[in-house]
Amino acid sequence: VFLFSPLLIGLFAAGDVTEATPALLVGAVSAFLLRQPITIAVKTYSGRRPQSEQSAAWFWIFVYGTAGLASLVALVLGGNGYVTWLAVPALPVFVWHLWLVSKRAERRQAGVEVVATGALALAAPAAFWVGKGGYDPQGWILWVFTWLQSAASIVYAYLRLQQREWRKTPPLRERWQAAQRALTYAGFNLSLVLVAAIVRQVAPWLWLAPLIQMAETTWGSLNPAQGAKPVSIGVRQLLVSSIYTIVFILLWR
């Protein structure tokens, strides 16, 4: 959802599909999928996974890398090479992630995940500009909104994972304190889009999209996920983010 939500929002906000759109989609998906085999390769070299997995990792690095390179060439030849510069900020973030993997410290790194989703959210302006056939400053608005939604989603998921470890339901005051960061993220997003709508920088009802995450975060703050399975927490947030994406697309215009 951190990749496809920005891509879909950018595509539908542009309102058109060009010859470069398939190349962008293949390139973005290939770059995203490339993360897993490279991570496996780093784990094998650092002794975290058996050496027998190296061949499979390198095979898929070749497959996804070839697809990504072909997409890059297609974008450049089609006059859309400028969108590839949006991938540059992702490189240091990915290197950071791989370094953490080599040190066995990649788990529960909310800060890294928030920054990484910022890089993934750049797919929104890329898809928007390709669909528009050129640069449009509104693409940066799409990037900010999609990144903030992803960040709020991550912080809220960490809150729910924290709640599942509670042995009993704490008093209301403690529940609000534990949810302060998640509520701040969701509240900021809602306020930002609402202000943008008031000053007519975006559609007047677009604020209903971040209201979905705000409502979910408020509900989750009051109803702890004690004993819930991590997968159920993830699936619920996936549903919330999917609804956000659909509502955003419908209201953007």
Side-chain angles (χ1 to χ4, degrees), residues 143-230:
W143 172 59
V144 170
F145 287 171
T146 52
W147 183 11
L148 291 177
Q149 165 59 22
S150 297
S153 175
I154 289 172
V155 173
Y156 175 64
Y158 271 93
L159 169 65
R160 300 296 278 173
L161 291 173
Q162 175 187 350
Q163 291 174 341
R164 66 184 295 269
E165 299 176 358
W166 293 349
R167 294 186 176 181
K168 61 180 182 178
T169 303
L172 179 60
R173 181 179 179 181
E174 294 182 16
R175 278 178 276 167
W176 281 119
Q177 288 178 342
Q180 185 174 11
R181 186 182 181 189
L183 289 168
T184 299
Y185 271 63
F188 176 80
N189 295 356
L190 176 59
S191 301
L192 181 64
V193 180
L194 185 58
V195 170
I198 291 174
V199 299
R200 299 184 178 181
Q201 292 299 308
V202 296
W205 295 101
L206 191 65
W207 56 272
L208 289 175
L211 179 62
I212 295 170
Q213 183 65 55
M214 184 67 205
E216 168 65 17
T217 305
T218 302
W219 179 87
S221 301
L222 296 173
N223 300 274
Q226 293 165 280
K229 295 181 179 180

Side-chain angles (χ1 to χ4, degrees), residues 18-19 33 36 38 40 43 54 67 116-117 152 170 191 206-207 228 234 241:
T18 65
E19 294 180 355
L33 294 177
Q36 182 65 11
I38 292 180
I40 294 297
K43 287 183 176 181
Q54 280 189 17
T117 55
S191 301
L206 191 65
W207 56 272
S241 296

Side-chain angles (χ1 to χ4, degrees), residues 83-138:
V83 299
T84 62
W85 287 103
L86 294 174
V88 174
L91 296 178
V93 178
F94 188 43
V95 172
W96 183 14
H97 167 73
L98 294 178
W99 180 80
L100 290 172
V101 169
S102 68
K103 300 296 182 181
R104 299 175 179 264
E106 77 275 17
R107 295 182 181 275
R108 295 296 182 99
Q109 292 286 350
V112 179
E113 294 177 21
V114 168
V115 174
T117 55
L120 290 174
L122 288 169
F128 183 69
W129 294 337
V130 166
K132 285 286 187 180
Y135 175 80
D136 188 316
Q138 277 198 320

Side-chain angles (χ1 to χ4, degrees), residues 39-51 53-54 101-104:
T39 300
I40 294 297
V42 170
K43 287 183 176 181
T44 60
Y45 285 113
S46 61
R48 296 184 59 184
R49 300 290 288 264
Q51 296 294 313
E53 295 185 4
Q54 280 189 17
V101 169
S102 68
K103 300 296 182 181
R104 299 175 179 264

